[in-house]
Amino acid sequence: MSSPTHPIVQRQQHLRAWYAVPAGRVMLAAMRAHLNRFVPQIFGYYALQIGHLGNGVDLLEGSRIGRRFLMEARPGPGAHLSALPEALPVAADSLDLILLAHTLDGALDPHQVLREVERSLRPEGHVIILGLNPLSPVGLWQRVPPRRGESPWSGACYSTRRVREWLSLLGFDIMALAHAGVRAPEGGSGLRGRLQMIQGLGGRRLPYVGSVYMILARKRVSTLTPVRPRWRAARPWVPGGFVRPVCRRRERD
């Protein structure tokens, strides 16, 4: 269990506050529409959601998995587990679905989080990763010096390319990639107009500029074939500890 001042706790609080404002609610609705396309197709017995976005939002509401659990870094309303994502309190190969709700964005060690996900998932289990896209118009805008460090972009953000590389190294296959929340930030009229033009093209020609991304990946099944030992019959021994010679006769024509 982490303290209230832990970075991941503060990060989650900032994200929940941001998803409560109008711009955040619009993005949340678009993200849930993507989730409702993929979540019902994942079957199994146990699902774990790490982190939540407030307002009683159930990101796995469309799941057919009966036993779903919510884990947070600190105890909170509705949370079944309290632990850091770098050390999941679950057995290996026990979960069918794990949802990371901006978990990598606030984790101190995102690589360890994904290693724990790989350990906890069953073969052919799925992970859904929600994260902020640093290459989106909003992500780039928030890196302008006057706005640098504003919520919810105050922490680390990782591109989908980097996250997919991490997943591939851990033995995952990428099943789907989606973006949501192509929205122009507030700013000067000239810059805002250009960003609104990008916003208009986002759904048709620039599908990867959404502020939030969703990655669906599946854990590969090991294809290693066990090698059986080749047992050979022992040669008979003769008195004195010597091996009886084997004579081969060659027939002559």
Side-chain angles (χ1 to χ4, degrees):
M1 183 175 61
S2 63
S3 66
T5 58
H6 194 280
I8 194 171
V9 175
Q10 297 178 348
R11 181 71 160 158
Q12 287 293 329
Q13 292 174 345
H14 293 163
L15 283 166
R16 285 194 286 269
W18 185 79
Y19 274 110
V21 304
R25 289 197 296 267
V26 171
M27 190 175 299
L28 180 60
M31 186 169 55
R32 293 177 70 180
H34 285 301
L35 287 172
N36 289 333
R37 292 168 49 204
F38 300 110
V39 169
Q41 303 177 29
I42 301 174
F43 299 92
Y45 298 97
Y46 300 99
L48 176 65
Q49 177 179 326
I50 301 178
H52 74 93
L53 304 182
N55 299 324
V57 176
D58 182 7
L59 297 177
L60 294 178
E61 61 183 353
S63 175
R64 301 185 183 184
I65 298 177
R67 298 180 179 178
R68 305 194 298 268
F69 303 93
L70 173 64
M71 192 191 89
E72 292 207 74
R74 60 175 299 192
H80 303 93
L81 301 170
S82 176
L84 291 177
E86 290 88 350
L88 299 181
V90 297
D93 302 329
S94 61
L95 299 175
D96 301 284
L97 171 63
I98 296 178
L99 171 64
L100 303 180
H102 293 291
T103 307
L104 297 184
D105 296 334
L108 295 177
D109 189 348
H111 306 87
Q112 177 60 24
V113 173
L114 292 180
R115 283 192 289 266
E116 278 292 279
V117 169
E118 191 277 334
R119 179 190 66 83
S120 303
L121 283 176
R122 295 177 178 176
E124 292 192 343
H126 292 78
V127 58
I128 297 176
I129 301 175
L130 305 178
L132 297 171
N133 180 14
L135 302 180
S136 67
V138 180
L140 296 174
W141 175 251
Q142 295 292 349
R143 277 157 177 73
V144 177
R147 292 178 172 267
R148 186 174 299 169
E150 291 186 2
S151 178
W153 304 85
S154 55
C157 300
Y158 305 100
S159 66
T160 57
R161 179 178 179 180
R162 178 175 295 185
V163 176
R164 285 182 292 171
E165 289 176 351
W166 292 343
L167 290 170
S168 179
L169 290 174
L170 288 172
F172 284 87
D173 292 320
I174 307 300
M175 309 301 296
L177 172 64
H179 288 74
V182 184
R183 184 180 179 89
E186 297 297 329
S189 59
L191 178 60
R192 184 168 61 247
R194 289 190 290 270
L195 290 173
Q196 288 174 348
M197 180 181 66
I198 296 176
Q199 176 183 352
L201 295 174
R204 295 177 285 111
R205 301 180 183 178
L206 298 174
Y208 302 115
V209 298
S211 301
V212 177
Y213 66 81
M214 186 205 77
I215 297 177
L216 172 65
R218 182 176 62 192
K219 180 179 176 179
R220 296 193 199 111
V221 179
S222 176
T223 57
L224 296 178
T225 303
V227 179
R228 297 182 179 179
R230 299 180 61 184
W231 300 100
R232 295 183 179 180
R235 295 184 181 181
W237 292 77
V238 298
F242 296 97
V243 179
R244 179 176 298 172
V246 177
C247 300
R248 296 182 180 179
R249 300 180 59 184
R250 181 178 180 183
E251 297 183 359
R252 298 179 179 179
D253 297 335

